[in-house]
Amino acid sequence: MSRKQSNQTYFYPLAKIGWRSAAALVMANMIGTGAFTTLGFQLELLQNAWAILALWILGGLMALFGAFSYAELGVRLPHSGGEAHFLSEIYHPFLGFLSGWVSLSVGFAAAVALAAIAVGQYTSLLTGWSPQHIAIMAILGLSLVHSLSLRYSSRVQNVLTGLKLLLVVGLIVAGLVLPAAPGAGIDWSLAGTEQLLSPGAAISLILIFYAYSGWNAAAYIVEEIDEPSRNLPRALVVGSVVVSCLFILLQFSFLRQAGPTALSGQIEVGQVAAEAMFGPQTGQIISALIGILLLAGISAMIWVGPRVVGAMGGRHHLWRIFAKKSRRGLPLRAIWLQAGISLFLVLTASFERVLYYSGFVLQLFTILTIIGLLLLRRRHPQAAWRSPLFPYAQYFFLAFSFYALGYLLITEPLESLLGLLNVAAGAVAYGLGDPGEAPKMSTGEL
């Protein structure tokens, strides 16, 4: 077969990344918009500090158990694409297409837009530029970086992630060591933990799920990881555990330093906490650093998201044009398709509405994927890597996911229905297209 006839033949050898780069990708995806924005919305729903921190601990367990599940799925079905590939193989290509549609329009494009807006908000005071213009420049610049080469993407990602981790650790240490702000007014009484049973806790849990999203990032690029049966589980688990610990300590530091009155309803909670710790001028500098290092999350999503489009294009003619790769093995068309959707959302969407809408629909497809592992285990019990705590970890994940989604559907019906409308639009797009022949099951161990 000639090079012109095959999309799988390239002029350049494809590079592979090790578990450290894959773990850096996971951590960069996780430490992003949610960690520095969602606490303000949670404080509008809950006032007790222990209740909020308990939900963050629960979110960390969910991320770890989800990582266990996706690691096994990635080893059993070692193709890039994440849920789009998993659901196609386990259920039907139709569900895989819907998952890919949601990942493109919400999971990555909307997440990139939210992160870019946050970058703009965090850096606008220091630069004097419009937050919207900063967001647009961030999306365009990082899309260009990821259009060059996988090796360049990996190096940029590792450097940004390392700097971001240093900043997060620095904020945590300062928040724990410096004296708490006088009159912070946070409720630390154990009696207030009864708020964990309120509808506000369920909605807060959806926000926390969104903050933790990214624990599955390495599963989207399985084919680009060296020895995935060994390195994929290590990357997912290590990345999830490290970030979960950092998130819990970071939210504790924010609560201790700034308190609920100052943080409630705020998007830039990191800036509010930094100003409480270091004063207005230094706080603005740290705020700008937070915004700059949030670029690592945008970079990670621009790297991972187009691989989902590639998985969709291999199964459906409607997307095949975007699945084509360059001579260096990069999905350039998919990268710029995602960039275009993200730019549209930056120019048109509301931050809070997109946050709820994204959280609902993404958790829905994650639930289907975790159920898929339960089904796959029944069909093929043996695998090169198996999830610890199976099936209890999966049941735990599913129980709290259904609990949170049910409350969100009742209390925030508009955002939930917008998510379902997006799924319906994907179903229409699938019907309008001409489904191609699905590729054969991967040769990896089931």
Side-chain angles (χ1 to χ4, degrees):
M1 184 176 289
S2 71
R3 286 174 176 167
K4 290 184 179 179
Q5 292 172 317
S6 173
N7 289 334
Q8 302 302 317
T9 304
Y10 307 102
F11 294 105
Y12 300 89
L14 295 184
K16 297 280 187 178
I17 63 173
W19 77 267
R20 289 181 180 83
S21 289
L25 182 67
V26 171
M27 289 187 281
N29 264 274
M30 293 180 73
I31 304 175
T33 316
F36 292 99
T37 58
T38 59
L39 182 60
F41 299 124
Q42 293 159 38
L43 284 166
E44 291 184 310
L45 303 166
L46 304 170
Q47 289 74 47
N48 183 262
W50 292 122
I52 291 173
L53 291 176
L55 291 176
W56 281 92
I57 293 170
L58 178 59
L61 286 173
M62 298 277 285
L64 178 61
F65 294 161
F68 286 165
S69 304
Y70 274 60
E72 180 172 339
L73 285 167
V75 170
R76 286 176 175 271
L77 307 170
H79 277 301
S80 296
E83 293 95 346
H85 174 60
F86 298 152
L87 296 181
S88 292
E89 296 288 2
I90 297 169
Y91 299 104
H92 188 275
F94 172 65
L95 271 182
F97 179 88
L98 287 184
S99 174
W101 174 278
V102 167
S103 291
L104 173 66
S105 59
V106 176
F108 293 103
V112 166
L114 286 172
I117 292 169
V119 169
Q121 294 283 357
Y122 270 106
T123 58
S124 61
L125 282 178
L126 195 65
T127 62
W129 299 340
S130 159
Q132 191 176 73
H133 290 161
I134 295 171
I136 291 170
M137 288 188 291
I139 293 169
L140 291 176
L142 287 169
S143 296
L144 181 60
V145 166
H146 285 282
S147 299
L148 300 177
S149 74
L150 178 62
R151 182 170 296 147
Y152 196 64
S153 297
S154 177
R155 288 174 179 172
V156 169
Q157 192 64 58
N158 289 347
V159 170
L160 285 175
T161 302
L163 293 173
K164 185 196 286 187
L165 286 172
L166 286 174
L167 178 62
V168 170
V169 171
L171 287 172
I172 290 171
V173 171
L176 297 177
V177 172
L178 294 175
I186 188 71
D187 176 15
W188 291 100
S189 67
L190 291 176
T193 54
E194 63 186 13
Q195 294 178 16
L196 286 170
L197 302 177
S198 68
I203 299 172
S204 293
L205 199 54
I206 285 289
L207 297 175
I208 290 170
F209 288 164
Y210 180 83
Y212 276 102
S213 63
W215 51 260
N216 54 358
Y220 289 87
I221 59 163
V222 176
E223 292 174 88
E224 297 175 27
I225 298 175
D226 188 37
E227 298 183 57
S229 62
R230 182 169 62 91
N231 289 328
L232 176 64
R234 186 183 298 182
L236 289 174
V237 172
V238 170
S240 298
V241 169
V242 170
V243 173
S244 296
C245 294
L246 292 176
F247 274 8
I248 295 163
L249 292 171
L250 185 66
Q251 306 311 311
F252 176 83
S253 298
F254 287 167
L255 286 168
R256 182 175 180 270
Q257 289 295 329
T261 303
L263 293 172
S264 181
Q266 297 296 317
I267 293 177
E268 310 93 335
V269 292
Q271 177 179 334
V272 175
E275 290 182 359
M277 286 187 270
F278 305 109
Q281 291 185 336
T282 305
Q284 287 183 14
I285 294 172
I286 293 175
S287 172
L289 286 175
I290 293 172
I292 292 168
L293 294 180
L294 283 177
L295 294 172
I298 301 175
S299 171
M301 289 180 283
I302 290 173
W303 184 357
V304 172
R307 274 63 180 177
V308 178
V309 179
M312 292 168 64
R315 297 175 180 276
H316 201 279
H317 289 303
L318 183 64
W319 295 98
R320 190 154 294 167
I321 186 173
F322 296 107
K324 292 183 179 180
K325 296 183 178 181
S326 69
R327 295 187 303 171
R328 294 184 182 273
L330 299 172
L332 295 181
R333 296 179 182 180
I335 288 172
W336 289 100
L337 171 66
Q338 179 177 291
I341 297 173
S342 298
L343 291 171
F344 174 78
L345 291 172
V346 165
L347 294 170
T348 61
S350 157
F351 186 94
E352 189 171 0
R353 176 162 291 179
V354 173
L355 189 58
Y356 283 121
Y357 154 66
S358 302
F360 179 87
V361 73
L362 290 176
Q363 200 66 20
L364 188 63
F365 280 92
T366 305
I367 286 172
L368 288 174
T369 306
I370 301 295
I371 293 173
L373 175 60
L374 298 173
L375 298 175
L376 201 56
R377 270 284 191 105
R378 288 186 179 182
R379 300 172 196 167
H380 307 280
Q382 300 304 316
W385 193 89
R386 289 158 57 90
S387 165
L389 302 178
F390 183 91
Y392 304 107
Q394 287 69 34
Y395 291 156
F396 183 92
F397 188 100
L398 292 171
F400 280 101
S401 295
F402 281 121
Y403 162 73
L405 287 186
Y407 267 113
L408 187 62
L409 187 60
I410 294 169
T411 57
E412 302 288 344
L414 178 59
E415 285 73 13
S416 304
L417 291 175
L418 283 173
L420 294 176
L421 281 175
N422 188 5
V423 175
V428 172
Y430 183 87
L432 292 175
D434 177 21
E437 182 183 355
K440 301 296 182 184
M441 180 76 79
S442 65
T443 56
E445 257 192 278
L446 287 172

